[in-house]
Amino acid sequence: MLKIKNLHAYYGAIEGLKGVDIDVEDGKITCIIGSNGAGKTTLLKAISGVVKRFGSMLLDDMEIGSFTPRQVARAGITHVPESRHIFPGLTVEKNLETGTFPWHGFFSNASFTKELDEVYELFPRLKERRNQLGWSLSGGEQQMLAIGRGIMARPKILMLDEPSMGLAPMLIDELFEKIVEINARGISILLVEQNAHIALEVSHNAYVMESGKIALQGPSISLQHDDRVTKAYFGSLYKKK
Amino acid sequence: MLNNLIGLTVNGLAMGVVYALIAMGLILLVRAVGVMNFAQGDLFMLGAYLSFTFIVNIKLPYWLFVPASLISFAIVGLIFMAVTYWPLREASYPQAVIIATMGAGYVIKELAYKIWGPVALSMPALVINPETGTTKVLEIFGIKLQWQYVMIIAVCAVLIVLVFMLFEKLYAGRMMQATAQDKYAAELIGIPSVVTIAATYMLVTMVVSIGGYMVAPVFFISATLSSLQLRAFAGVVIGGFGNLKGAIIGSLIVGLIEAYATLQWSSYKDAVVFIVLIIVLIFRPQGLFGEKIADKA
């Protein structure tokens, strides 16, 4: 569905991505794992166009490598950013409403109750808190809200950046069940995670990143017990006891 | 005595809603762009001057004056944004934009001085007594009120409600609010922040300029009009910084205090306002309606 070839990204003069090739398959969960600073978040930012990037990205048959963030969002790729970035002063329901912007635009009167119901069905907790302000939610609820806002955009591909960050282990399990459920509803998912264990468990395909490059790739099952994954996290000097 | 008090209340409310317009503009800019606009009073003054030109110099009929002035106010807002915000939007110090607004304030003042001259201009009132040529007096139950004050309250109140509705009830307004709260997230969603920010600047300038036009007949039009901004600041702080409702109520309070102060200490009315401000700051530093400021949980 999304084929990325030789993608480079820059922060000023610093090269954050050094030629990355990735394939996000239709209807699958693709995960990107790797240690801190490996360039996982940069990859998502490069895809959505908020950092300077060069390279080819084919969404179905459309070349989106030079699209602005707005065009990328309209093309059907929704980025749920790291540390959630929900709107603190809007209520839960209005936060969700903002997610519809890519297909709704400023002035149309299109209804989004269907999407809203879908999100509330997925996350009943958000329905209970629909009139609360964003900042008053707990970390887990904020993450649900951020993902819910992403679903409101009717995405083809939902990119999730570190959804487990800062959550209690029990909540993480619950959240990843939801992610699988979202995927089962037909939304392809590109998941960036530091928590390799759970990411490999829920995903179909995996890529391991190391200093701005893909170090390893393959079906998630086969990577689950691969020593090279551990090496990518801890460096080549690490030896298994 | 009672009549007097009611008259003062009307005057106070009239000035209060004008301060509220200025204050609302301040808060909108703070929320939408993160900029404290120190040229707000000067835009206010410019609005009065521009209206004067349209009405007195060009003698536009009202049906033409309304759209012409609104468009020119919007253009002023765009220019203001293009000059003070756009070149500095990526500056490493966000204060740069704030300082730029201070500079722009001086430029606007000097420009007005150059164009309209140093002599204070007098603007005809909205409702004029045909015999005397001055503002008409409204008499209800023996209480005499100046029509201009009544009009100020009506027009400004409608404007305040409209802006409130735009931000709270309309989809587009919510997107503007969203951009104001988290520009990065808004960018990822695809909301064009340039558009919402430009819209905010235009809206704020329009609202403030209309305020300037409304009070122009009460005062003379001169550079000192811009000093009304100070009272709007006081209103914002009394009401609770960053809160639209608080800013409006705070400004009304300032207007009323000022009006009642004229009963006893007419020449010290400014001092009274700021003494109240200081007292509020001592006992309730977050302002009367200050809420806990939204933050990352």
Side-chain angles (χ1 to χ4, degrees), chain A residues 70 85 89 97 100-102 104-105, chain B residues 171 174 178 181-182 184 189-190:
Chain A
R70 186 157 178 236
H85 281 275
E97 196 181 322
T100 60
F101 189 82
H104 186 286
Chain B
Y171 185 90
R174 236 160 280 163
Q181 290 174 16
D182 194 327
Y184 175 64
I189 289 172

Side-chain angles (χ1 to χ4, degrees), chain B residues 74-217:
Chain B
I75 293 173
V76 168
L78 264 188
I79 296 174
F80 184 70
M81 170 189 163
V83 173
T84 62
Y85 172 74
W86 197 248
L88 296 168
R89 66 192 189 285
E90 307 276 317
S92 27
Y93 300 101
Q95 292 87 339
V97 181
I98 300 175
I99 305 290
T101 65
M102 287 183 186
Y106 285 108
V107 173
I108 295 172
K109 249 189 231 110
E110 288 303 314
L111 214 61
Y113 191 83
K114 275 264 180 283
I115 298 175
W116 287 282
V119 183
L121 307 171
S122 86
M123 176 86 124
L126 259 179
V127 185
I128 294 172
N129 188 337
E131 287 144 37
T132 57
T134 54
T135 177
K136 210 171 175 181
V137 173
L138 175 71
E139 235 186 286
I140 319 172
F141 307 123
I143 302 160
K144 284 184 180 165
L145 303 170
Q146 279 192 43
W147 257 109
Q148 187 66 25
Y149 282 109
V150 180
M151 293 301 282
I152 289 176
I153 294 176
V155 170
C156 295
V158 168
L159 272 181
I160 289 170
V161 171
L162 278 182
V163 172
F164 224 92
M165 296 280 278
L166 168 69
F167 271 80
E168 299 295 330
K169 298 275 174 254
L170 288 188
Y171 185 90
R174 236 160 280 163
M175 298 304 130
M176 287 166 83
Q177 260 184 300
T179 319
Q181 290 174 16
D182 194 327
K183 225 155 137 190
Y184 175 64
E187 193 186 1
L188 287 181
I189 289 172
I191 304 172
S193 60
V194 188
V195 175
T196 60
I197 288 173
T200 310
Y201 267 96
M202 289 197 286
L203 188 78
V204 166
T205 314
M206 273 157 82
V207 164
V208 166
S209 304
I210 295 172
Y213 161 64
M214 290 308 294
V215 294

Side-chain angles (χ1 to χ4, degrees), chain B:
Chain B
M1 179 62 200
L2 186 68
N3 286 1
N4 208 343
L5 212 61
I6 293 174
L8 281 179
T9 308
V10 170
N11 291 5
L13 280 180
M15 288 321 292
V17 287
V18 171
Y19 301 153
L21 276 189
I22 303 178
M24 196 166 64
L26 285 175
I27 300 288
L28 289 183
L29 276 180
V30 166
R31 296 217 309 209
V33 229
V35 169
M36 190 72 201
N37 180 16
F38 282 95
Q40 193 87 343
D42 302 286
L43 291 174
F44 177 79
M45 172 200 77
L46 192 61
Y49 270 121
L50 281 175
S51 320
F52 179 87
T53 299
F54 284 132
I55 291 179
V56 178
N57 296 357
I58 309 181
K59 294 196 175 59
L60 284 183
Y62 264 95
W63 61 271
L64 249 180
F65 163 71
V66 175
S69 60
L70 286 181
I71 291 169
S72 67
F73 296 158
I75 293 173
V76 168
L78 264 188
I79 296 174
F80 184 70
M81 170 189 163
V83 173
T84 62
Y85 172 74
W86 197 248
L88 296 168
R89 66 192 189 285
E90 307 276 317
S92 27
Y93 300 101
Q95 292 87 339
V97 181
I98 300 175
I99 305 290
T101 65
M102 287 183 186
Y106 285 108
V107 173
I108 295 172
K109 249 189 231 110
E110 288 303 314
L111 214 61
Y113 191 83
K114 275 264 180 283
I115 298 175
W116 287 282
V119 183
L121 307 171
S122 86
M123 176 86 124
L126 259 179
V127 185
I128 294 172
N129 188 337
E131 287 144 37
T132 57
T134 54
T135 177
K136 210 171 175 181
V137 173
L138 175 71
E139 235 186 286
I140 319 172
F141 307 123
I143 302 160
K144 284 184 180 165
L145 303 170
Q146 279 192 43
W147 257 109
Q148 187 66 25
Y149 282 109
V150 180
M151 293 301 282
I152 289 176
I153 294 176
V155 170
C156 295
V158 168
L159 272 181
I160 289 170
V161 171
L162 278 182
V163 172
F164 224 92
M165 296 280 278
L166 168 69
F167 271 80
E168 299 295 330
K169 298 275 174 254
L170 288 188
Y171 185 90
R174 236 160 280 163
M175 298 304 130
M176 287 166 83
Q177 260 184 300
T179 319
Q181 290 174 16
D182 194 327
K183 225 155 137 190
Y184 175 64
E187 193 186 1
L188 287 181
I189 289 172
I191 304 172
S193 60
V194 188
V195 175
T196 60
I197 288 173
T200 310
Y201 267 96
M202 289 197 286
L203 188 78
V204 166
T205 314
M206 273 157 82
V207 164
V208 166
S209 304
I210 295 172
Y213 161 64
M214 290 308 294
V215 294
V218 177
F219 299 95
F220 286 103
I221 309 176
S222 71
T224 49
L225 263 190
S226 66
S227 65
L228 294 191
Q229 177 183 19
L230 271 185
R231 278 152 231 179
F233 274 134
V236 168
V237 176
I238 290 176
F241 201 88
N243 172 336
L244 259 190
K245 248 180 245 165
I248 292 167
I249 295 171
S251 302
L252 290 178
I253 293 174
V254 168
L256 286 174
I257 293 173
E258 209 181 39
Y260 293 140
T262 53
L263 262 184
Q264 273 302 321
W265 315 282
S266 186
S267 40
Y268 292 109
K269 59 178 189 173
D270 285 352
V272 175
V273 167
F274 286 96
I275 288 171
V276 172
L277 172 66
I278 291 168
I279 294 173
V280 169
L281 280 180
I282 291 172
F283 292 104
R284 229 185 125 73
Q286 75 272 42
L288 295 179
F289 300 89
E291 292 166 10
K292 218 164 120 189
I293 287 174
D295 212 340
K296 276 180 205 146

